[in-house]
């Protein structure tokens, strides 16, 4: 039986901002992280006190300030956020070698097969010890959800959050998945976005229990076969996805699910550019180079398509990885140009950079100038934060 946890840092950016500036942001209960009062950006994170006024992440700062005029706005302390994120991950790896970073403030932890290590204690007890250890060593708090797969863990952690009046831990025991899901709205299921919710509501489907009242054949009559099967699996708590710990043979992946389906090629390319920039930086931070670049698209109807290319030599630079990724994206878009709901990039065929640098560069897609530029960019980002230098195609700030 699988034992999966999702650890989610509570109001992560707010907590880090308060730790960085205890004399300023640290004293502000009504705190918005994302920019200044003059900023046109969006809220990256809002303190729980401001959320009572209706302030939410991804909301334009101007609107947030109309809802909560007394709020203190501070910029995102990017450098410190990445440092704290690494600290939390390091603590989680003390409990399991298999940890997947879902974002800068979320981590899946696979405890499958560790029952003996933890003397067969309940998973909730292990989660409590993880939570206490992270708070002790980093000063930050986590909410933790757990269950037999990633889907259940993700939905459980939402119930554990302070914003849902949770107590920080929620474990769905094996066999209790259906009972738990029957208490959920369809909107609680990851990737069931606003448009899909509207289509479902038009059929009288608002809660998970509403869907469980129909068989798969009925659902297929109301939507595409792919959508119906996907929804059927979700409301029954089925999810076979592994916790993808980054290892040499598995590769490194980054993807983004859009808040709304995207139709314009330039919009999708811009999102891909963000992902490649992040993935390439993470690759170099681990001292690795990649030989294979893959791009994945999930279309509006949940059809997922992917293509990849293997290069003659492993590479590390944004320029080469981005060039290949753009070519692969164009190939996918030319084959089927429909609105997209997700784009992703995956780097695999990983090897140590030291091994690459010892090899001949003859015939390589990447020059030493490319690698030197990548190292220089990493040094600047390490000093001033990950968003201090971004490719020209990224024209507006984005939050994680």
């Amino acid at each position: 039986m699988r034992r999966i946890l999702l650890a989610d840092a509570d109001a992560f950016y707010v907590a880090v901002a308060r730790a960085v500036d205890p004399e300023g942001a640290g004293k502000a209960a009504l705190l918005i992280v994302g920019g200044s009062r003059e900023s046109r950006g969006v809220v990256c994170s809002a303190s729980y006190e401001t959320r009572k006024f209706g302030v939410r992440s991804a909301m334009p700062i101007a609107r947030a300030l109309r809802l909560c005029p007394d709020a203190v706005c501070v910029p995102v302390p990017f450098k410190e956020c990445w440092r704290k994120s690494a600290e939390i991950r390091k603590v989680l790896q003390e409990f399991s070698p298999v940890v997947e970073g879902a974002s800068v403030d979320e981590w899946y932890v696979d405890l499958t097969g560790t029952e003996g290590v933890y003397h067969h204690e309940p998973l909730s007890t292990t989660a409590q010890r993880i939570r206490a250890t992270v708070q002790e060593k980093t000063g930050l708090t986590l909410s933790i959800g757990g269950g037999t797969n990633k889907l259940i863990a993700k939905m459980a952690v939402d119930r554990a959050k302070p914003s849902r009046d949770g107590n920080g831990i929620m474990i769905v025991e094996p066999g209790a998945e259906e009972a738990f899901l029957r208490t959920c709205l369809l909107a609680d299921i990851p990737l069931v976005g606003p448009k899909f919710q509207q289509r479902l509501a038009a059929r009288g489907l608002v809660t998970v229990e509403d869907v469980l009242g129909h068989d798969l054949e009925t659902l297929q009559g109301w939507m595409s076969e792919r959508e119906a099967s996907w929804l059927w699996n979700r409301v029954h708590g089925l999810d076979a996805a592994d916790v993808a710990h980054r290892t040499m043979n598995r590769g490194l992946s980054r993807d983004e699910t859009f808040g709304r389906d995207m139709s314009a090629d330039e919009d999708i390319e811009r999102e891909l550019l963000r992902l490649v920039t992040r993935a390439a930086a993470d690759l170099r931070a681990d001292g690795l180079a990649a030989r294979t670049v893959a791009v994945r698209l999930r279309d509006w109807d949940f059809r997922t398509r992917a293509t990849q290319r293997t290069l003659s030599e492993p590479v590390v630079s944004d320029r080469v990885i981005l060039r290949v990724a753009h070519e692969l994206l164009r190939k996918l878009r030319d084959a089927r140009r429909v609105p997209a709901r997700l784009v992703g990039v995956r780097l695999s065929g990983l090897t140590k950079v030291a091994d690459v640098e010892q090899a001949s560069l003859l015939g390589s897609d990447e020059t030493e100038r490319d690698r030197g530029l990548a190292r220089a960019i990493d040094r600047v980002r390490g000093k001033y934060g990950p968003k201090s230098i971004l490719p020209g195609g990224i024209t507006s700030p984005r939050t994680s």
Side-chain angles (χ1 to χ4, degrees), residues 206-222:
V206 177
T207 68
V208 168
E209 192 154 15
D210 291 335
V211 178
L212 292 175
H214 301 280
D215 57 26
L216 179 58
E217 184 177 359
T218 299
L219 295 180
Q220 290 172 339
W222 291 341

Side-chain angles (χ1 to χ4, degrees), residues 10 128 131 142-145 157 159-162 166-170:
D10 297 328
Q128 289 283 9
R131 189 168 186 259
L142 300 175
S143 292
I144 299 179
V157 79
R159 295 285 186 88
K161 300 289 286 185
N167 63 5
I169 301 287
M170 181 168 187

Side-chain angles (χ1 to χ4, degrees), residues 75-136:
V76 181
F78 287 112
K79 183 177 179 181
E80 189 66 12
C81 285
W82 284 103
R83 189 179 73 81
K84 281 294 185 182
S85 178
E87 285 183 12
I88 294 173
R89 183 183 183 119
K90 185 176 180 180
V91 175
L92 296 176
Q93 288 173 330
E94 295 176 8
F95 290 86
S96 172
V98 185
V99 177
E100 175 188 346
S103 68
V104 70
D105 58 352
E106 288 183 302
W107 303 264
Y108 286 101
V109 182
D110 193 343
L111 290 171
T112 306
T114 65
E115 293 88 341
V117 175
Y118 295 110
H119 308 289
H120 299 277
E121 69 183 13
L123 187 56
S124 58
T125 302
T126 307
Q128 289 283 9
R129 292 199 292 109
I130 292 174
R131 189 168 186 259
T133 304
V134 168
Q135 184 168 13
E136 176 187 353

Side-chain angles (χ1 to χ4, degrees), residues 34-200:
S36 66
R37 284 183 167 269
E38 294 74 30
S39 172
R40 294 184 180 182
V42 298
V43 176
C44 181
S45 184
S47 65
Y48 290 116
E49 293 86 353
T50 62
R51 296 183 193 189
K52 295 177 181 178
F53 291 84
V55 178
R56 295 290 182 268
S57 298
M59 176 182 289
I61 287 178
R63 182 185 174 194
L65 289 173
R66 287 196 297 269
L67 293 172
C68 188
D70 295 329
V72 174
C73 293
V74 298
V76 181
F78 287 112
K79 183 177 179 181
E80 189 66 12
C81 285
W82 284 103
R83 189 179 73 81
K84 281 294 185 182
S85 178
E87 285 183 12
I88 294 173
R89 183 183 183 119
K90 185 176 180 180
V91 175
L92 296 176
Q93 288 173 330
E94 295 176 8
F95 290 86
S96 172
V98 185
V99 177
E100 175 188 346
S103 68
V104 70
D105 58 352
E106 288 183 302
W107 303 264
Y108 286 101
V109 182
D110 193 343
L111 290 171
T112 306
T114 65
E115 293 88 341
V117 175
Y118 295 110
H119 308 289
H120 299 277
E121 69 183 13
L123 187 56
S124 58
T125 302
T126 307
Q128 289 283 9
R129 292 199 292 109
I130 292 174
R131 189 168 186 259
T133 304
V134 168
Q135 184 168 13
E136 176 187 353
K137 293 189 175 184
T138 72
L140 301 183
T141 62
L142 300 175
S143 292
I144 299 179
T148 54
N149 59 47
K150 294 172 76 173
L151 171 67
I152 297 298
K154 173 65 174 175
M155 296 179 70
V157 79
D158 289 340
R159 295 285 186 88
K161 300 289 286 185
S163 57
R164 297 286 295 269
D165 296 324
N167 63 5
I169 301 287
M170 181 168 187
I171 306 298
V172 179
E173 299 294 340
E177 293 87 355
E178 181 175 339
F180 167 70
L181 287 166
R182 285 184 180 275
T183 69
C184 299
L185 300 174
L186 294 175
D188 295 331
I189 299 176
L191 300 184
V192 177
K195 289 187 177 180
F196 197 17
Q197 291 171 35
Q198 291 174 6
R199 290 167 51 208
L200 293 170

